[in-house]
DNA sequence: GACATATAGTTAGTTATGCAACTAATTTCA
DNA sequence: TGAAATTAGTTGCATAACTAACTATATGTC
């Protein structure tokens, strides 16, 4: 086993166990403290709908990197909380369009500010070039494996 | 909302949705194809025990960045598969030491090679400096939030 | 020594994830 | 046109995550 390979193995452990879950936990905690009853996963779905409303479930799978059953159940829960509504597509009867309710639209500013604040806390001492490198590496890794 | 903040929000989405799960899924798939019946989470616990055997559950929490109930159940499942054994500590009766079985020791070479191979696939086109930057950024993020 | 506090681990409840197998609608193409 | 293949979404099953509440042991302090 070469030294380089070992370092790469270490990276796996770093990527999967540490920073990403730390950020997610902190953001979830900030939501709770603000009295917001949504999970971080639900928020990540809403995040994409705020950018573009009424996406199909398949499109949400693509944008959130989740599989279809995961999205089905996240949408189930978001629908129970009356944050989204499934609407049949007029052009393709297989498709559900997932659309925001008024309540969800009102969540946007509040949660985006919390998310930005959390990322600012998380990224103290990290500069723009480093952030850019991380994004590029992750995009590259994703492309390599899919 | 400043432009810089928005970019940081984007990073969150990248970190949590994409590369880390892509790597985990690929590694899990490689385990399955090799006929190995362990999950990626179980493997990550074994990974730390291969480095140092007979750790307490609390120490495994620290090293794998998981909480206590998660480790309790991971160890439950690993014990069912006869890959680890809980041993009472002689000096502190609150503590379980989690020790590898022979079967688990034999898994080591096979799975480490698969993990290295998976990381090599994942990191095609990524250089050492970039890997170092990612590791440093993640360590910094983790330290900022804990 | 005794009571308060801290630490190690477990259990219960809810949400989320991945895979495999399924239904229903659409598209392809012979 | 009609059968085969593809696509969108759901359901069942197993594992894993987090929180909160719990038991048991150890430590600290008066």
């Amino acid at each position: 086993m070469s030294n380089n390979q070992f370092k790469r193995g270490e990276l796996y452990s770093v990527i999967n166990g540490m920073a990403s879950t730390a950020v997610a936990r902190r953001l979830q905690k900030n939501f709770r403290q603000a009295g917001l009853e949504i999970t971080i996963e639900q928020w990540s779905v809403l995040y994409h709908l705020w950018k573009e409303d009424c996406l199909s479930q398949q499109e949400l799978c693509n944008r959130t990197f989740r599989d279809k059953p995961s999205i089905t159940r996240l949408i189930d829960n978001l629908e129970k909380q009356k944050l989204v509504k499934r609407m049949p597509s007029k052009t393709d009867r297989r498709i559900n369009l997932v659309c925001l309710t008024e309540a969800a639209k009102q969540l946007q500013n509040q949660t985006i500010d919390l998310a930005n604040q959390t990322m600012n806390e998380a990224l103290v001492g990290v500069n723009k070039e480093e952030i850019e490198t991380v994004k590029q590496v992750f995009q590259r890794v994703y492309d390599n494996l899919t």
Side-chain angles (χ1 to χ4, degrees), chain A:
Chain A
M1 189 188 306
S2 80
N3 189 36
N4 184 42
Q5 280 181 317
F6 183 70
K7 280 189 184 158
R8 289 181 165 204
E10 287 292 311
L11 179 64
Y12 171 78
S13 160
V14 170
I15 288 176
N16 272 283
M18 200 174 81
S20 59
T21 58
V23 174
R25 278 180 213 170
R26 172 62 57 97
L27 187 47
Q28 179 75 73
K29 189 176 155 193
N30 287 348
F31 283 166
R32 243 194 336 273
Q33 284 180 350
L36 301 173
E37 295 286 315
I38 58 171
T39 67
I40 188 75
E41 292 84 3
Q42 291 170 355
W43 180 81
S44 80
V45 171
L46 294 177
Y47 179 83
H48 289 280
L49 291 173
W50 288 324
K51 290 205 281 192
E52 184 177 351
D53 200 4
C54 295
L55 298 170
S56 70
Q57 296 190 197
Q58 182 56 54
E59 191 53 37
L60 283 170
C61 292
N62 299 340
R63 300 196 188 188
T64 65
F65 305 102
R66 293 184 163 84
D67 68 356
K68 290 192 293 178
S70 295
I71 287 295
T72 292
R73 281 157 185 140
L74 276 171
I75 302 301
D76 287 349
N77 286 331
L78 282 167
E79 222 170 15
K80 266 189 233 158
Q81 295 175 260
K82 302 205 186 304
L83 291 171
V84 302
K85 222 169 139 52
R86 283 179 170 93
M87 316 281 256
S89 160
K90 283 168 185 159
T91 56
D92 186 336
R93 285 191 300 161
R94 293 170 304 179
I95 292 179
N96 288 336
L97 294 175
V98 180
C99 302
L100 294 165
T101 63
E102 277 308 310
K105 288 176 191 167
Q106 287 173 11
L107 266 181
Q108 177 171 13
N109 287 330
Q110 204 174 354
T111 58
I112 294 263
D113 285 352
L114 274 178
N116 283 326
Q117 177 193 313
T118 304
M119 287 312 294
N120 283 336
E121 272 180 72
L123 293 173
V124 167
V126 179
N127 66 37
K128 277 188 182 180
E129 291 70 31
E130 290 168 326
I131 293 175
E132 212 38 57
T133 300
V134 171
K135 285 169 70 172
Q136 280 167 11
V137 168
F138 275 63
Q139 184 66 52
R140 187 70 198 239
V141 166
Y142 183 75
D143 292 343
N144 283 340
L145 294 182
T146 52

